[in-house]
C-alpha cells in the first residue's frame, strides 16, 4: 500500500475555504428516512406473504428479497436508479438494492465488450469486493464459533 | 535559434508573424445543446449514441464530423492539412487514432487531459511559425459515458457524488490553423509546467488544477509583458465553480487581480446553472467546444478582440488514483486576437 501524499500545507486551507463540503447531516437524515422506509415496506410485504398458507417465514423473506433485487435491477436498466441514489445515497446503497445495482450497472456497461469477456468478466467488478470480504468475515466468524463450541 | 517569426520568453512563445485561426467548429450532445451555449454549436446530436454500437464509437464519430466541418468551413479539403494533432480522454487515445485513420494525414496523438485542444493549438502554431507546415488541423473531444466508465464507475451505478465533482462534456471541437491571412491571429502561447500540490481527491479536479492555471497565467502575463486587463476575456478550461474560486484566490495572493466579469471558466459556461452537473463541465470536449464554438464566434463577430484561453488538465489515471498518488495538473495557454 502506498502512503497517501498530503496537500501542501499552505494550499490546504485555501482548498478547504473554497470547497463545498458534502452536506453530511442532510445526507445521513435522508438516507436514514429513505432506507428505513424502504426496509419497512419490504418488511410489511414479507409479513403479508408469510400469511399465504404453505409459505414459511424464511421463504417469505427470500421472496421479498428477490422482488427488491429485481426492482433495483429494473430501475438501473431504466436509468432511474443512479438519479434516485444521488439524492438518497446510503438509503439505497446499504440495503440489498445497492448490491443489485452494482452488478446490473457493471453488466450493462460492459455489454459492448461481449457477453463473456465483457458482462461476464466485469459483472462483479464492484460487487466482487462485497463477496470477497463477506466470505472472508464469514470464515472468521465460523472459526470463532467453532473454537468457542469446543471450549 | 529562432527564425524571426517567434520570440521566446521563458515558457512563452510570442509570434512576430502570428499564425491564423482560419476556421473552427464545435459539436455537442443533447445536454450541451440545452445549455446556454447551445446556439454556438455547429451541430448537436439529439442522442448520446446516435445509432452507434458503443459510446466509444460515438465519441470517434463526433471527432471525425467536427474535423470535417472545420475543414469545410476553412474552405479546404482534408489533403490540405499538413498535420493532424488530436487527443481525447480514452486509454491510448483511440478516438483520435481512429479519426486519424479516417483522415489519413500525418498525425500526432496528444494527451493533456482537458487541456488537449489547446496543447494542439500551441504545437500547431509553433509548427506553422517554424515553416514546417502551412495548414494544421487541431482537435479534441470527449464523451460523458466513455469517461465516466473509464475514470469512475459504470454509468448507471448509484454513487452519491460530492458537490465539487464535475460532469464530463459530450462534445468535440476542431480548428484549422495556418500561415495565411485571416481575422483571428494566434499571437502568443504559453506551455504549462506540471504543478502538483498533493491533492488526491479525484472528485475535486478544480482544486487539483487551479494551481497549474495560476502558474501558467502568472508566467504568461510576466513573459509577454502585459497585464490581465490587456485581454477582453480570460478563459480557464474546466476548473468548475470550485476551482475557479480557488484560482481567483491564488492569483490574488500573487498580486494578479482578475476582473470577475472578464474571467470565465469553460466548465461553468457550458451548462450554466444546471445543478445536475455539480461544479460544472469537464473533459477534452469542454474547452475544445467552448473555444472553437462560442469564443471563436464572438471573436469573429468582433464582440471580443483579445482572448486568453488557459486550458487545464488533470494528469491522473484510475490506477494512479487508486494507488493514492496525487493529481498532477497542467495548464496550456493561447492568446487569440483580432488584428
Amino acid at each position: 500500500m502506498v502512503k497517501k501524499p498530503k496537500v501542501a500545507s499552505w494550499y490546504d486551507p485555501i482548498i478547504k475555504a473554497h470547497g463545498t463540503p458534502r452536506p453530511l447531516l442532510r445526507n445521513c437524515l435522508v438516507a436514514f428516512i429513505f432506507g428505513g422506509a424502504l426496509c419497512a415496506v419490504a418488511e410489511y410485504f414479507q409479513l403479508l406473504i408469510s400469511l399465504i398458507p404453505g409459505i414459511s417465514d424464511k421463504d417469505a423473506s427470500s421472496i421479498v428479497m428477490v422482488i427488491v433485487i429485481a426492482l433495483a435491477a429494473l430501475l438501473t436498466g431504466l436509468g432511474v436508479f443512479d438519479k434516485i441514489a444521488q439524492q438518497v445515497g446510503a438509503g439505497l446503497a446499504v440495503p440489498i438494492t445497492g448490491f443489485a445495482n452494482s452488478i446490473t450497472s457493471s453488466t450493462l456497461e460492459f455489454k459492448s465488450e461481449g457477453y463473456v469477456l465483457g458482462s461476464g468478466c466485469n459483472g462483479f467488478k464492484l460487487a466482487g469486493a462485497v463477496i470477497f470480504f463477506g466470505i472472508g468475515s464469514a470464515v472468521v466468524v465460523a472459526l470463532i464459533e467453532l473454537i468457542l463450541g469446543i471450549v | 535559434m529562432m527564425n524571426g517569426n517567434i520570440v521566446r520568453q521563458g515558457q512563452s512563445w510570442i509570434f512576430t508573424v502570428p499564425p491564423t485561426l482560419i476556421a473552427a467548429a464545435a459539436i455537442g450532445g443533447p445536454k450541451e445543446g440545452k445549455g446556454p451555449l447551445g446556439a454556438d454549436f455547429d451541430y448537436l446530436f439529439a442522442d448520446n449514441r446516435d445509432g452507434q454500437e458503443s459510446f466509444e464509437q460515438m465519441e470517434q464519430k463526433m471527432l471525425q464530423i467536427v474535423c470535417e466541418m472545420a475543414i469545410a468551413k476553412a474552405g479546404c479539403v482534408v489533403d490540405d492539412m499538413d498535420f493532424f494533432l488530436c487527443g481525447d480522454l480514452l486509454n491510448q487515445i483511440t478516438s483520435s487514432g481512429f479519426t486519424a485513420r479516417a483522415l489519413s494525414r500525418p498525425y500526432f496523438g496528444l494527451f493533456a487531459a482537458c487541456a488537449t485542444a489547446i496543447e494542439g493549438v500551441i504545437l500547431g502554431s509553433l509548427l506553422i511559425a517554424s515553416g514546417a507546415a502551412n495548414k494544421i488541423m487541431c482537435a479534441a473531444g470527449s464523451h460523458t459515458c466513455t469517461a465516466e466508465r473509464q475514470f469512475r464507475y459504470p454509468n448507471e451505478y448509484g454513487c452519491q457524488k460530492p458537490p465539487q465533482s464535475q460532469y464530463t462534456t459530450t462534445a468535440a471541437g476542431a480548428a484549422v490553423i495556418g500561415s495565411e491571412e485571416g481575422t483571428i491571429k494566434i499571437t502568443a502561447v504559453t506551455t504549462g509546467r506540471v504543478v502538483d500540490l498533493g491533492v488526491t481527491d479525484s472528485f475535486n479536479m478544480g482544486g487539483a488544477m487551479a494551481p497549474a492555471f495560476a502558474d501558467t497565467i502568472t508566467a504568461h502575463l510576466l513573459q509577454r509583458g502585459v497585464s490581465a486587463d490587456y485581454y477582453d476575456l480570460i478563459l480557464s478550461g474546466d476548473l468548475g465553480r470550485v476551482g475557479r474560486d480557488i484560482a481567483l484566490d491564488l492569483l490574488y495572493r500573487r498580486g494578479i487581480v482578475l476582473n470577475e466579469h472578464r474571467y470565465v471558466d469553460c466548465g461553468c459556461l457550458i451548462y450554466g446553472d444546471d445543478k445536475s452537473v455539480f461544479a460544472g463541465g469537464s473533459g477534452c470536449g469542454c474547452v475544445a467546444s467552448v473555444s472553437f464554438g462560442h469564443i471563436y464566434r464572438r471573436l469573429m463577430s468582433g464582440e471580443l478582440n483579445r482572448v486568453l484561453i488557459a486550458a487545464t488538465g488533470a494528469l491522473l489515471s484510475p490506477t494512479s488514483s487508486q494507488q493514492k498518488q496525487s493529481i498532477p495538473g497542467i495548464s496550456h495557454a493561447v492568446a487569440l486576437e483580432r488584428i
Side-chain angles (χ1 to χ4, degrees):
Chain A
M1 290 287 270
V2 186
K3 221 177 146 198
K4 202 171 165 178
K6 279 206 171 90
V7 179
S9 55
W10 67 270
Y11 188 47
D12 203 38
I14 301 180
I15 205 166
K16 284 203 176 102
H18 293 286
T20 329
R22 269 180 193 264
L24 270 184
L25 188 70
R26 178 248 171 227
N27 285 354
C28 288
L29 270 176
V30 172
F32 179 77
I33 293 166
F34 188 90
L38 182 74
C39 294
V41 171
E43 192 89 35
Y44 177 72
F45 275 97
Q46 186 184 326
L47 265 173
L48 277 187
I49 292 166
S50 69
L51 294 179
I52 302 172
I55 293 179
S56 68
D57 282 357
K58 213 179 163 190
D59 289 344
S61 153
S62 304
I63 292 169
V64 166
M65 254 199 269
V66 168
I67 294 172
V68 172
I69 290 171
L71 277 176
L74 182 70
L75 289 177
T76 305
L78 293 174
V80 187
F81 190 97
D82 57 331
K83 293 187 176 66
I84 307 172
Q86 177 61 37
Q87 297 307 318
V88 303
L92 261 185
V94 175
I96 204 159
T97 42
F99 191 73
N101 164 252
S102 73
I103 297 171
T104 319
S105 61
S106 305
T107 310
L108 277 174
E109 191 65 62
F110 290 94
K111 206 181 116 204
S112 58
E113 278 101 309
Y115 290 113
V116 178
L117 292 177
S119 297
C121 287
N122 293 290
F124 284 81
K125 207 169 181 175
L126 297 164
V130 180
I131 293 172
F132 182 87
F133 289 104
I135 292 174
S137 43
V139 168
V140 173
V141 170
L143 270 176
I144 293 172
E145 199 193 359
L146 187 75
I147 294 163
L148 287 181
I150 291 166
V151 174
Chain B
M1 168 191 158
M2 295 295 168
N3 62 4
N5 291 346
I6 330 168
V7 177
R8 184 189 153 186
Q9 294 286 346
Q11 55 192 104
S12 300
W13 283 261
I14 295 127
F15 298 102
T16 39
V17 182
T20 305
L21 178 65
I22 302 170
I27 59 175
K31 196 179 177 78
E32 291 66 29
K34 288 191 194 95
L37 307 187
D40 289 331
F41 286 92
D42 293 270
Y43 185 77
L44 289 164
F45 289 97
D47 182 278
N48 262 346
R49 219 159 82 186
D50 200 48
Q52 298 296 305
E53 277 176 32
S54 68
F55 294 120
E56 284 75 11
Q57 283 181 22
M58 179 61 189
E59 182 175 313
Q60 195 267 313
K61 181 182 169 182
M62 282 199 314
L63 262 177
Q64 195 168 327
I65 292 176
V66 83
C67 287
E68 285 161 1
M69 278 180 159
I71 291 171
K73 277 172 99 174
C76 305
V77 291
V78 176
D79 286 343
D80 291 336
M81 300 302 128
D82 298 322
F83 287 103
F84 173 50
L85 310 175
C86 189
D88 58 86
L89 290 178
L90 297 190
N91 291 332
Q92 288 77 44
I93 49 169
T94 43
S95 303
S96 303
F98 291 3
T99 305
R101 172 179 68 189
L103 297 180
S104 187
R105 297 307 301 154
Y107 161 67
F108 283 125
L110 312 174
F111 183 80
C114 312
T116 305
I118 300 305
E119 181 182 345
V121 175
I122 293 181
L123 287 170
S125 42
L126 289 173
L127 280 167
I128 300 269
S130 75
N134 281 321
K135 281 197 180 77
I136 290 175
M137 161 119 253
C138 313
S142 58
H143 193 300
T144 186
C145 298
T146 63
E148 189 66 23
R149 89 171 201 169
Q150 182 179 299
F151 289 96
R152 299 177 193 110
Y153 297 109
N155 279 288
E156 298 304 333
Y157 181 59
C159 136
Q160 198 170 35
K161 290 183 176 166
Q164 67 266 28
S165 61
Q166 288 173 257
Y167 176 90
T168 310
T169 308
T170 303
V176 176
I177 58 177
S179 51
E180 64 191 58
E181 283 310 304
T183 315
I184 306 170
K185 292 286 186 184
I186 299 158
T187 49
V189 297
T190 301
T191 307
R193 303 183 292 185
V194 172
V195 179
D196 185 345
L197 294 182
V199 176
T200 46
D201 180 6
S202 62
F203 277 117
N204 190 0
M205 302 286 224
M209 299 187 293
F213 171 76
D215 187 72
T216 298
I217 291 290
T218 313
H220 178 86
L221 298 178
L222 188 77
Q223 289 156 4
R224 203 182 173 194
V226 294
S227 74
D229 294 334
Y230 175 80
Y231 294 103
D232 299 332
L233 192 71
I234 293 179
L235 205 72
S236 59
D238 333 335
L239 290 176
R241 270 175 273 280
V242 176
R244 181 182 181 272
D245 285 351
I246 299 174
L248 277 170
D249 191 345
L250 286 175
L251 284 168
Y252 180 78
R253 283 161 199 257
R254 293 175 179 207
I256 297 169
V257 183
L258 296 189
N259 182 326
E260 280 270 0
H261 305 288
R262 280 159 63 187
Y263 163 47
V264 293
D265 181 78
C266 295
C268 304
L269 266 185
I270 193 160
Y271 298 113
D273 291 329
D274 188 345
K275 291 280 180 294
S276 69
V277 300
F278 311 101
S282 70
C284 289
C286 187
V287 176
S289 64
V290 173
S291 306
F292 301 152
H294 179 62
I295 299 297
Y296 169 73
R297 285 172 188 231
R298 286 177 74 190
L299 276 164
M300 282 305 268
S301 68
E303 196 187 328
L304 292 170
N305 285 311
R306 295 163 175 168
V307 178
L308 180 67
I309 305 169
T312 53
L315 306 178
L316 81 168
S317 79
T319 309
S320 77
S321 198
Q322 280 165 6
Q323 290 177 347
K324 301 193 174 57
Q325 297 287 305
S326 55
I327 304 167
I330 192 158
S331 175
H332 292 304
V334 55
L336 300 176
E337 298 181 44
R338 282 171 66 94
I339 290 185

